[in-house]
Amino acid sequence: MIQHLLSIDDLGAEGIDEVLRTTDTFVEVNKRAIPKVQALRGKTVVSCFFEDSTRTRLSFETAARRLGADVMTFSAASSSLKKGESIRDTIETLEAIGADAFVVRHGSAGVPAQIARWSTARVVNAGDGQHEHPTQALLDCYTLRSHLGDLNGKQILIVGDIKHSRVARSNVAAFAALGAKVKLVAPATLLPAGIDEWPVDVTHNLDGALDDADVVYLLRIQQERMEQALLPSLREYSHGFGLDARRAARLKSGALILHPGPMNRGVEIAADVADAPNAVITEQVANGVAVRMAVLFLLLGSGDLNA
Ligand code: CP
């Protein structure tokens, strides 16, 4: 196993497979009356979030506690960063207090990798700018495999704001590594530069892509990251690229709908579609705890779950 988890490319197909196999163990642990093991007893995991989060922060903290680790929660908004302390001094301070691992979210790409260079602790990228969100991709792969089996040859549509999406970058890498066929569906203004080099097909026509899809993966429109008006209006975006009930009804039997959250109901996904039986959005969140237990265990654990 690798020292840090900074991007999906760190893992490759074999590493992804190892995380998903280990996740099976923790899904079983999480079904127990007391969903807890002591695999990380004596270890300290720091949840280090410089940018807002609900799912990722809370599921990493839950994962660490269920593994028996101590959890330190660092919140940038109430820290000495506000008094001018640097990120490097902050990390060295947290390491001096006893950090064995940092789970890092930051609005700028590359900050988790920089922390990994400064620190002797393990580092997990919990989302850095528009770069990557590897554990989101791993929990998505786990969720898809649990419904569809092997992803080899499966047609996965990723729809929406690809340009600003770290989730899209990690998921394209993970789905492609597992042999899935990925098609990006977006207006031209929401595609990043260099898209020709990604292992994907691209279309601007959602209606033309729905019939063959095994999976429709919707992305949030990230208005907070848009420096200029890239869309005429949210209403027009929704008309062309939103998954409403009419479009969802065209999906083949067994096709799944995913979203990493947080959702904009009524924009990229209609409220009733988000609650449909084939929308597995809360299942993604639940699997996130077990996947993050697997990642922390593989990075910090002794190798023996009962030790
Ligand atoms: N999917 C995701 O990263 O959600 P949060 O921003 O709530 O962590």
Side-chain angles (χ1 to χ4, degrees):
M1 182 65 186
I2 53 175
Q3 254 206 312
H4 308 288
L5 177 57
L6 302 174
S7 78
I8 285 294
D9 285 344
D10 291 344
L11 291 172
E14 265 180 42
I16 294 171
D17 214 53
E18 184 181 15
V19 173
L20 301 188
R21 275 186 281 109
T22 309
T23 300
D24 282 333
T25 305
F26 292 112
V27 166
E28 184 275 313
V29 168
N30 287 340
K31 286 180 184 156
R32 294 179 192 167
I34 300 173
K36 201 157 178 167
V37 292
Q38 294 300 327
L40 296 191
R41 191 170 50 184
K43 303 286 188 191
T44 298
V45 174
V46 184
S47 149
C48 215
F49 280 64
F50 299 88
E51 191 191 72
D52 296 343
S53 166
T54 297
R55 282 145 279 269
T56 312
R57 183 172 67 79
L58 293 176
S59 69
F60 263 116
E61 291 179 3
T62 302
R65 288 194 183 97
R66 287 187 181 180
L67 290 166
D70 294 320
V71 175
M72 264 196 260
T73 300
F74 168 82
S75 173
S78 58
S79 74
S80 289
L81 286 171
K82 294 279 177 200
K83 302 176 196 164
E85 189 166 38
S86 68
I87 294 180
R88 184 171 191 159
D89 285 337
T90 302
I91 292 298
E92 285 176 1
T93 299
L94 295 171
E95 205 171 346
I97 294 172
D100 294 296
F102 292 107
V103 175
V104 181
R105 170 167 293 189
H106 199 283
S108 297
V111 170
Q114 183 60 60
I115 290 173
R117 287 189 285 272
W118 287 331
S119 168
T120 56
R122 304 289 198 241
V123 178
V124 184
N125 180 359
D128 61 333
Q130 297 169 28
H131 175 227
E132 281 232 27
H133 193 349
T135 58
Q136 178 69 48
L138 291 166
L139 73 90
D140 292 330
C141 289
Y142 189 86
T143 304
L144 289 178
R145 267 203 188 174
S146 69
H147 284 271
L148 304 176
D150 191 348
L151 297 189
N152 192 37
K154 295 288 189 294
Q155 176 77 67
I156 301 179
L157 306 184
I158 302 181
V159 186
D161 187 356
I162 314 288
K163 184 182 176 80
H164 300 101
S165 178
R166 55 197 175 209
V167 172
R169 283 168 181 77
S170 288
N171 267 334
V172 165
F175 295 155
L178 297 181
K181 292 185 280 180
V182 183
K183 190 176 279 187
L184 305 180
V185 189
T189 51
L190 292 185
L191 289 169
I195 195 74
D196 296 347
E197 287 155 36
W198 293 28
V200 295
D201 293 321
V202 177
T203 178
H204 309 305
N205 179 5
L206 176 59
D207 288 308
L210 286 173
D211 291 347
D212 295 333
D214 295 294
V215 177
V216 182
Y217 193 106
L218 299 156
L219 295 172
R220 184 173 67 87
I221 294 292
Q222 299 192 32
Q223 293 191 80
E224 74 278 16
R225 294 193 205 273
M226 290 189 193
E227 285 155 11
Q228 64 203 74
L230 298 176
L231 296 169
S233 70
L234 286 183
R235 196 156 166 264
E236 228 171 292
Y237 173 80
S238 189
H239 182 71
F241 296 93
L243 192 68
D244 57 14
R246 179 185 60 83
R247 286 183 170 132
R250 286 188 41 211
L251 292 171
K252 65 187 177 192
S253 167
L256 299 171
I257 298 165
L258 281 78
H259 192 304
M263 286 185 278
N264 290 315
R265 286 178 186 249
V267 180
E268 68 270 2
I269 186 167
D272 50 350
V273 174
D275 298 327
N278 62 332
V280 292
I281 296 158
T282 51
E283 217 177 293
Q284 289 171 264
V285 177
N287 286 334
V289 177
V291 163
R292 286 164 178 140
M293 288 170 83
V295 167
L296 292 173
F297 175 71
L298 289 168
L299 288 176
L300 281 178
S302 63
D304 178 359
L305 250 179
N306 298 310

